[in-house]
Amino acid sequence: LMAIDSIFANNSASGVYNDYGGAIYIYNDANVGLSMRNCLVRNNAVGHGLGGAVAAEAGTLWLENCTVANNSGGGVYRSAGSLMATNSILWGNGLDATGTMTLAFCDVSNASAGVTLVDCLAADPRFMNSAAGDYHLSNISPCVDAGTNLAWMFTAQDMDGHRRVLFGRVDMGPYETMLSKGLVIFVR
């Protein structure tokens, strides 16, 4: 299964047995595989469980260039199966990543002890206006040009329909920033 250029927002899960994964919950099938690419998962919630945004208790879940932000009850949670994220932003979820998983080239504010971080940041991603639902990166974001280029990106687009890789290196999250960091020269 694949979710591409998708927004998962304002969902919730509650109950005694299913209070996990406010937006996405993989449970009870080791053969399920879900790849999420260029997705935004925001403002989802669980009542008293874990993984306010995404929970994996079976199968395999890949997040590539996703933003998981401002979810209640945590960001991503893994208790079984496997969960991996690359070039993603996990921010403002309380505990952004819980369980045993690997995050590579991600921006993560708070992860549990079982999370392996490979070339990750822990810096404010400087969204344009997350309070208004705008999770584009400002041109001063540390996530601009901070991801790792993957083979699929060179012919792909971001969530807005722009080339996925601009200025040589991919941005973290689902949107490419149209302005590059660097020297700006004004001429009159």
Side-chain angles (χ1 to χ4, degrees):
L1 302 172
M2 220 167 174
I4 300 173
D5 298 334
S6 301
I7 297 174
F8 300 87
N10 305 313
N11 300 291
S12 64
S14 62
V16 176
Y17 299 107
N18 62 349
D19 197 10
Y20 297 96
I24 296 168
Y25 182 39
I26 298 176
Y27 174 74
N28 205 26
D29 189 345
N31 298 316
V32 171
L34 174 62
S35 180
M36 297 175 65
R37 201 176 275 172
N38 293 342
C39 292
L40 174 60
V41 187
R42 66 170 180 85
N43 302 97
N44 300 287
V46 291
H48 61 272
L50 295 168
V54 177
E57 292 193 324
T60 303
L61 178 62
W62 296 274
L63 291 99
E64 293 179 333
N65 289 88
C66 294
T67 291
V68 178
N70 300 328
N71 297 283
S72 176
V76 297
Y77 165 70
R78 179 211 166 259
S79 68
S82 64
L83 194 154
M84 295 155 285
T86 305
N87 297 333
S88 295
I89 301 168
L90 292 83
W91 200 265
N93 303 292
L95 193 54
D96 293 306
T98 308
T100 304
M101 67 185 78
T102 300
L103 308 178
F105 295 92
C106 293
D107 188 10
V108 185
S109 63
N110 192 8
S112 71
V115 177
T116 300
L117 302 172
V118 178
D119 293 317
C120 291
L121 306 173
D124 183 345
R126 297 187 182 257
F127 296 121
M128 291 297 285
N129 189 352
S130 61
D134 186 353
Y135 288 87
H136 289 82
L137 300 173
S138 71
N139 64 336
I140 60 170
S141 170
C143 301
V144 173
D145 299 332
T148 184
N149 295 343
L150 303 174
W152 64 267
M153 296 174 174
F154 293 99
T155 58
Q157 297 178 335
D158 72 357
M159 192 181 277
D160 284 338
H162 300 121
R163 283 191 0 229
R164 183 68 262 196
V165 178
L166 296 173
F167 311 111
R169 194 163 172 196
V170 72
D171 294 350
M172 293 177 181
Y175 306 105
E176 283 295 310
T177 302
M178 300 311 292
L179 298 173
S180 177
K181 289 182 179 181
L183 179 65
V184 177
I185 300 173
F186 293 96
V187 178
R188 288 194 222 189

